Amino acid sequence: MSKFERRIYNFCAGPAMLPTPVMEKAASEFLNYRGSGMSIMEDSHRGKLFEEVLDRSLSLLKELLSVPENYEIMFLSGGASLHFSALPLNLLKDGESADFAVTGIWAKKAMEEALRFNPVKKIYDGEDHKYTESPELNDSMVNPGAAYVYITSNNTLLGTRYANIPNITKAPLIADMTSEILSRKIDISKFGVIFAGAQKNIGPSGLSVLIIRKDLLRRSGRTVPILMDYALTAKNKSMYNTPPTYSIYMAKLVFEWLKDLGGVEKIEKINEEKAKILYDYLDTTSFYNAPVKPNSRSVMNVVFTLHDKNLESKFLAGAEEKGLHGLEGHRLVGGLRASIYNSMPKEGVIALVEYMKEFEKKV
Amino acid sequence: MSKFERRIYNFCAGPAMLPTPVMEKAASEFLNYRGSGMSIMEDSHRGKLFEEVLDRSLSLLKELLSVPENYEIMFLSGGASLHFSALPLNLLKDGESADFAVTGIWAKKAMEEALRFNPVKKIYDGEDHKYTESPELNDSMVNPGAAYVYITSNNTLLGTRYANIPNITKAPLIADMTSEILSRKIDISKFGVIFAGAQKNIGPSGLSVLIIRKDLLRRSGRTVPILMDYALTAKNKSMYNTPPTYSIYMAKLVFEWLKDLGGVEKIEKINEEKAKILYDYLDTTSFYNAPVKPNSRSVMNVVFTLHDKNLESKFLAGAEEKGLHGLEGHRLVGGLRASIYNSMPKEGVIALVEYMKEFEKKV
């Protein structure tokens, strides 16, 4: 069976739905990769089959994101949390400070982890308005001596994003793009480092990608654990140790799918359409509430609540019955959330809005 | 298609062959995990489906290895190399030293990485005899003040193992069991820490398991990067961050398969039979050569050479034609190697020996 017989719409925040054609392709060659008589999962990472997969993944990612030549692209084991530690260790000299814009819980976690190794400064804290908007950051906010400025470009948990990437030139801008990488056109040259856990727009969990300006690779001069050492990973073309080969294979399929679809420009339009359908509806009803300020709304993670919170479990149970899965909000904040990553088809969003309307009428 | 139509014998050292029934089971539910309408790869790590997978994986591993109650078992992202750094960071106080028995390249790498953080002492070096045997280690060799004694229990690259686990009581014994975990009965209580990359006897690459005596969890008191922090990972039951969910699912299938087969005791007998078939043949011919001393021979990785090294590429090409894949030795040492992990059926070893005999006759 290499076709879905039944396919739900999965709104989980990640690990998340992967594109249906990608899953079907992976299923079709799961037991026999290109006639080899084995799964790609079973082949040596030094084998020709996998080396081709790795090269192709990295070159497709470079192409899809228009990564300039002065950047390195690499895969690492572990998700975004790996980089929470690896960034200060690779980029900050002993005692050097970094600036953090705390637009949500992930930025806060990244800052707290950096603080275990180095001083940090908060240049923005959205806690006062419950993280319902993203700030306008600019160079005047950057502290003297800050070795970098850290942002979470899209906030999975709270459903905010920077509608426009901040224009920071006084220090390298570092962005956690876990939940929006490949979803909209980004000018990579505005960043010192971009990183992303794979489990939203790239592939299975346990893998992350890093895009780093080459001059930052050996900045700290510190002793960095080998699997967190950006320079070592770059030098060994993501193969210092055995990489998560199957996850990289899945990433390759996702990148191929995205390229065939028309690339990031095309998916950006589709993503905007999808989010608009959902936000437009949320704005016309008082039965539901979208707490995020319009200009800061994420196109990937649509956070909303029911006016009557007591109806939440009924809403979720009814949704599951209709094959609309994973709509509960993050356990730290509650409420509801529809994660509509690249892989979520427009039909899924339409089905969700139909259900929401129906639920509103019914109760 | 959820059955293999063609299946080769894959002798790769890792990523390696996985058990055929495991691959077929994974294929059969790849697109629809237990009627959920999605892949387990796509479900949230906080979802009931995955939490059940994680719990079951950990409890099966505990059962298969008879892990005592005073040990923690956990999954981490990244392979054995992660622990090369994590061990000194978690276990050694600033300035404390550890002892290393260097029976091969992996032990050497582990020692070199530890040396970046702490002093180390070599209590054995097999370089003089080209790592063709394993030493008898004992307490009299342990340096005063050594916080632990480190061994590679089975040496993937050079095909050696400790036939008997050293009896060390003066300091906790730490073992890299990547290439032999679950292949023979081990008395866990002899160890402070056991770790293993998954890609030999457990599942896909990018995952590792750690078994650690609870009193060692917070030993160093150092600042350890979050994804390498053993105590934090234990406290969060391997879910501090999003774990490599699909790899853990595959591990679960492998553990279930092994349990159904009869557990570690049963597979140990099968493994000994398989290795005997191959070594017995190697010992009767001068056309091939098995360099490892009999008592140190690995049951998982059988290293051999051709008397006439010029025939190697011909040997390998002929083997591939017969569906005997991945027999080249590690790129650092050359020669030939048959990795015959738990998943390699006896028939695969018989087919290899038949081919070796045929090749010997033909050339």
Side-chain angles (χ1 to χ4, degrees), chain A residues 24 70 139 207 227 230-231 280 308 356:
Chain A
E24 291 178 343
N70 59 328
D139 272 338
L207 177 73
L227 292 200
Y230 293 161
D280 277 357
D308 179 357
M356 288 168 74

Side-chain angles (χ1 to χ4, degrees), chain B residues 98-105 107-108 111 120-138 141-143 149-152 155 158 160-162 166 168 293 296:
Chain B
D99 282 354
F100 283 78
V102 180
T103 52
I105 288 159
K108 195 162 171 250
M111 184 181 72
V120 298
K121 286 180 183 150
K122 215 189 283 184
I123 59 168
Y124 173 80
D125 191 336
E127 204 179 354
D128 289 347
H129 52 73
K130 295 185 181 164
Y131 306 112
T132 53
E133 59 185 290
S134 290
E136 296 281 339
L137 300 180
N138 61 60
M141 300 160 88
V142 178
N143 286 295
V149 174
Y150 182 100
I151 63 167
T152 309
N155 199 322
L158 300 148
T160 61
R161 72 162 184 176
Y162 290 87
I168 300 287
K293 301 279 180 310
S296 297

Side-chain angles (χ1 to χ4, degrees), chain B residues 4 17 27-28 35-36 50 68 75 90 107 146 160 185 187 207 239 245 249 258 265 271 275 303 309 317 354:
Chain B
F4 278 99
M17 189 171 179
S28 74
S36 64
F50 177 72
F75 287 115
N90 281 279
T160 61
K185 217 158 161 48
D187 178 358
L207 177 72
M239 290 267 275
T245 57
Y249 157 77
L258 185 53
E265 260 177 64
N271 286 332
V303 165
K309 282 191 202 316
E354 273 169 18

Side-chain angles (χ1 to χ4, degrees), chain B residues 115-299:
Chain B
L115 182 58
R116 295 173 72 220
F117 301 99
N118 279 77
V120 298
K121 286 180 183 150
K122 215 189 283 184
I123 59 168
Y124 173 80
D125 191 336
E127 204 179 354
D128 289 347
H129 52 73
K130 295 185 181 164
Y131 306 112
T132 53
E133 59 185 290
S134 290
E136 296 281 339
L137 300 180
N138 61 60
D139 272 339
S140 74
M141 300 160 88
V142 178
N143 286 295
Y148 58 75
V149 174
Y150 182 100
I151 63 167
T152 309
S153 71
N154 181 80
N155 199 322
T156 330
L157 206 149
L158 300 148
T160 61
R161 72 162 184 176
Y162 290 87
N164 303 303
I165 293 299
N167 204 25
I168 300 287
T169 62
K170 275 175 69 180
L173 185 63
I174 312 278
D176 175 356
M177 289 202 182
T178 298
S179 50
E180 72 154 355
I181 195 163
L182 293 164
S183 74
R184 60 167 159 165
K185 217 158 161 48
I186 293 282
D187 178 358
I188 304 287
S189 71
K190 287 179 119 182
F191 296 89
V193 179
I194 290 170
F195 68 94
Q199 70 272 20
K200 326 285 189 186
N201 271 336
I202 295 176
S205 58
L207 177 72
S208 62
V209 302
L210 182 87
I211 301 163
I212 181 168
R213 223 174 60 208
K214 286 178 182 173
D215 63 294
L216 296 171
L217 273 173
R218 294 187 182 281
R219 196 179 178 286
S220 79
R222 277 170 150 171
T223 304
V224 184
I226 35 179
L227 291 200
M228 301 193 160
D229 185 326
Y230 293 161
L232 187 72
T233 307
K235 190 181 151 200
N236 288 280
K237 299 185 192 307
S238 303
M239 290 267 275
Y240 173 83
N241 76 325
T242 314
T245 57
Y246 194 71
S247 302
I248 292 172
Y249 157 77
M250 288 299 299
K252 187 197 82 133
L253 295 188
V254 171
F255 299 156
E256 283 171 345
W257 165 81
L258 185 53
K259 188 182 168 178
D260 288 350
L261 194 81
V264 172
E265 260 177 64
K266 182 66 186 289
I267 200 85
E268 181 172 8
K269 276 183 202 146
I270 299 171
N271 286 332
E272 279 167 6
E273 279 171 35
K274 277 154 44 184
K276 191 171 184 306
I277 294 169
L278 199 40
Y279 284 120
D280 277 357
Y281 171 61
L282 286 166
D283 285 340
T284 59
T285 166
S286 57
F287 187 79
Y288 302 96
N289 177 43
V292 175
K293 301 279 180 310
N295 193 43
S296 297
R297 284 174 173 174
S298 171
V299 170

Side-chain angles (χ1 to χ4, degrees), chain A residues 9-16 105-106 154-160 178-179 199-200 278-279 282 288-292 298-306 312 315-316 319-320 324-341 344 349 352 356, chain B residues 44-47 242:
Chain A
Y9 293 118
N10 173 6
F11 295 92
C12 283
I105 288 158
W106 293 113
N154 181 80
N155 199 322
T156 329
L157 205 150
L158 299 149
T160 61
T178 298
S179 50
Q199 70 272 22
K200 326 287 188 183
L278 199 40
Y279 284 120
L282 287 165
Y288 302 95
N289 176 44
V292 175
S298 170
V299 171
M300 297 280 101
N301 310 97
V302 180
V303 165
F304 59 102
T305 56
L306 279 157
E312 251 178 38
F315 176 88
L316 289 168
E320 289 285 347
L324 305 167
H325 174 66
L327 287 160
E328 57 277 20
H330 191 279
R331 65 206 157 94
L332 294 178
V333 294
L336 303 162
R337 173 177 52 178
S339 294
I340 50 174
Y341 297 120
M344 174 61 67
V349 179
L352 172 60
M356 288 168 74
Chain B
S44 170
H45 59 301
R46 304 281 174 196
T242 314

Side-chain angles (χ1 to χ4, degrees), chain A residues 98-109:
Chain A
D99 281 356
F100 284 78
V102 180
T103 53
I105 288 158
W106 293 113
K108 195 162 170 250
K109 284 203 178 204

Side-chain angles (χ1 to χ4, degrees), chain A residues 1 4 6-8 10 15 18 23 31 35 37 39 42-43 46 113 116 205 224 226 243 245 325 331, chain B residues 1 4 6-8 10 15 18 23 31 35 37 39 42-43 46 113 116 205 224 226 243 245 325 331:
Chain A
M1 184 186 72
F4 279 101
R6 177 180 169 244
R7 180 69 161 154
I8 59 162
N10 173 6
L18 289 167
M23 293 305 293
L31 292 182
S39 176
E42 301 178 295
D43 197 23
R46 304 281 174 194
E113 178 64 4
R116 296 173 71 222
S205 58
V224 184
I226 35 178
T245 56
H325 174 66
R331 65 206 157 94
Chain B
M1 184 187 73
F4 278 99
R6 178 181 169 242
R7 179 69 160 154
I8 58 162
N10 173 4
L18 289 166
M23 293 305 294
L31 292 180
S39 177
E42 301 178 295
D43 197 23
R46 304 281 174 196
E113 178 64 3
R116 295 173 72 220
S205 58
V224 184
I226 35 179
T245 57
H325 174 65
R331 65 206 156 95

